[in-house]
């Protein structure tokens, strides 16, 4: 292990820009990678939070990401999520490189969403609403611009300063952008990020072409009835069966695509909760990401939803691309 190269965040960003990440993910699926064959990830509860181990194999490479999730870190001024990626040679299992696991996650998650949006969203989609103000929220702005002509962004977050800071970064990209933090006292609450079902946030959701949910919310962020037919919604914030960002009304109306059925039915509260409540059945899932890319998913007249929990094959595909670019 001595001398094992380490690819940090800046190196990963340089080696695999988000557009390249979208391309290599699509290439892997078109080459026959089956998301359903990815091993399930063990999730281990520990006193400070959770440990996630995400192994995968693909032709020339094997890899594993070790991720820690510590909810109490925010109060300590530390990252909530931390991690490292190890890439191995597929034939000999010799270690090839270590990488910043969180930078890898921050790259591949928006890239996966953008790949789904490329095949789900209306071609002229330009109005984007982003729930959240962290790295994933900004990453989704960058990634979705790669596949659709996004011009206008509404950032919705609990913290006014963070929301405005993200809106300012969007304006620096040449986009029209504003921050919204409606106070909960104005109407019935619809989730931890935004309060009322009326007002500027509701108007933005109703007019959106794209909605990206990138939060730690455990309850729906907005009433699903606000989402118009034809809007594409991506939800990436949760990987727990009891946590969700979307309500059952939206999911029931939508053409729903997931990364893989097996992982979604084990981890994605956005679909598990409506199934548990009898709002939908597992047959409501229109397809997985590979089927979407292959043209085997036909969007219905309502909204389109892509729900991801994050899968190990995605990390491996992007990590392999980074390593090959580095060598």
């Amino acid at each position: 292990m001595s001398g094992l190269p380490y690819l940090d965040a800046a190196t990963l960003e340089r080696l695999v820009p988000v557009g390249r990440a979208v391309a290599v993910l699509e290439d892997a699926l078109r080459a026959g990678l089956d998301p359903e064959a990815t091993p399930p990830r063990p999730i281990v509860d520990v006193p400070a939070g959770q440990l996630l181990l995400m192994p995968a194999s693909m032709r020339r490479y094997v890899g594993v990401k070790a991720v820690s999730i510590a909810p109490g870190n925010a109060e300590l001024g530390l990252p909530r999520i931390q991690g490292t990626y190890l890439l191995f040679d597929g034939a000999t299992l010799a270690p090839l490189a270590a990488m910043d696991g969180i930078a890898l996650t921050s790259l591949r998650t928006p890239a996966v969403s953008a790949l789904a949006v490329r095949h789900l969203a209306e071609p002229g989609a330009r109005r984007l609403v982003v729930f959240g103000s962290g790295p994933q929220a900004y990453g989704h702005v960058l990634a979705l611009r790669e596949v659709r002509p996004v011009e206008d962004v509404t950032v919705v977050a609990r913290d006014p300063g963070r929301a405005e800071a993200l809106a300012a970064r969007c304006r620096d990209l040449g986009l029209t952008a504003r921050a919204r933090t409606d106070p909960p006292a104005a109407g019935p609450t619809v989730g931890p990020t935004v309060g009322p079902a009326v007002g500027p946030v509701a108007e933005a959701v109703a007019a959106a072409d794209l909605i990206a949910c990138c939060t730690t919310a455990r309850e729906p962020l907005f009433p699903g009835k606000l989402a118009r037919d034809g809007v594409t919604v991506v939800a990436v914030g949760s990987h727990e069966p009891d946590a969700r960002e979307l309500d059952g009304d939206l999911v029931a109306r939508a053409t729903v695509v997931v990364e893989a059925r097996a992982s979604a039915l084990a981890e994605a509260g956005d679909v598990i909760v409506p199934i548990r409540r009898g709002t939908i059945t597992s047959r409501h899932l229109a397809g997985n990401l590979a089927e979407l890319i292959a043209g085997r998913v036909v969007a219905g007249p309502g909204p389109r939803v892509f729900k991801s929990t994050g899968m190990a094959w995605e990390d491996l595909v992007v990590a392999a691309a980074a390593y090959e670019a580095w060598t």
Side-chain angles (χ1 to χ4, degrees):
M1 293 287 287
S2 62
L4 188 69
Y6 180 79
L7 307 185
D8 61 16
T11 302
L12 285 172
E13 183 177 343
R14 174 176 58 83
L15 294 174
V16 190
V18 66
R20 174 64 179 157
V22 175
V24 297
L25 289 162
E26 181 155 10
D27 289 346
L29 292 170
R30 291 196 182 279
L33 187 151
D34 181 6
E36 304 290 348
T38 301
R41 59 181 167 197
I43 300 176
V44 181
D45 291 324
V46 295
Q50 292 180 323
L51 292 178
L52 283 67
L53 298 177
M54 301 178 64
S57 62
M58 177 192 70
R59 299 190 305 276
R60 295 173 52 196
Y61 300 102
V62 173
V64 62
K65 185 169 71 174
V67 178
S68 63
I69 301 176
N73 275 8
E75 298 178 3
L76 303 174
L78 298 172
R80 175 177 173 269
I81 302 176
Q82 301 173 84
T84 299
Y85 195 85
L86 288 176
L87 183 70
F88 300 86
D89 179 80
T92 66
L93 300 186
L96 298 175
M99 304 182 191
D100 185 322
I102 302 313
L104 185 61
T105 303
S106 296
L107 172 60
R108 62 84 160 145
T109 302
V112 170
S113 294
L115 179 55
V117 165
R118 172 182 283 170
H119 292 271
L120 271 179
E122 297 169 330
R126 64 179 185 84
R127 294 181 299 269
L128 168 63
V129 174
V130 178
F131 285 86
S133 59
Q136 283 295 342
Y138 184 62
H140 274 73
V141 174
L142 296 177
L144 297 183
R145 290 180 72 215
E146 293 286 327
V147 296
R148 286 297 182 268
V150 174
E151 300 174 351
D152 183 272
V153 179
T154 299
V155 178
V156 185
R158 289 172 292 186
D159 185 297
R162 287 172 59 90
E164 177 52 39
L166 179 53
R169 294 182 74 183
C170 293
R171 290 192 289 270
D172 289 342
L173 297 172
L175 303 171
T176 301
R178 83 286 304 161
R180 294 287 182 258
T181 52
D182 288 2
T189 59
V190 297
T193 299
V194 54
V198 295
V201 170
E203 293 171 1
V205 168
D209 302 312
L210 301 169
I211 301 172
C213 301
C214 312
T215 75
T216 58
R218 301 191 66 83
E219 297 295 335
L221 296 168
F222 58 89
K225 64 184 179 182
L226 292 176
R228 67 170 181 83
D229 290 348
V231 66
T232 296
V233 182
V234 297
V236 306
S238 69
H239 64 274
E240 298 177 75
D242 295 318
R244 57 183 181 150
E245 296 175 294
L246 311 179
D247 70 10
D249 177 83
L250 173 56
V251 172
R253 291 170 51 215
T255 299
V256 179
V257 176
V258 295
E259 292 157 302
R261 289 178 179 83
S263 65
L265 294 174
E267 297 182 350
D270 297 84
V271 297
I272 293 171
V273 172
I275 290 172
R276 188 185 300 149
R277 295 181 178 179
T279 306
I280 62 170
T281 70
S282 61
R283 291 189 298 275
H284 186 71
L285 302 183
N288 66 26
L289 193 57
E291 293 163 341
L292 176 67
I293 301 311
R296 297 200 294 271
V297 175
V298 178
R304 299 94 182 260
V305 164
F306 175 65
K307 170 57 190 172
S308 70
T309 58
M311 294 188 70
W313 69 266
E314 302 156 357
D315 295 307
L316 179 57
V317 168
V318 177
Y323 178 74
E324 290 179 355
W326 180 77
T327 54

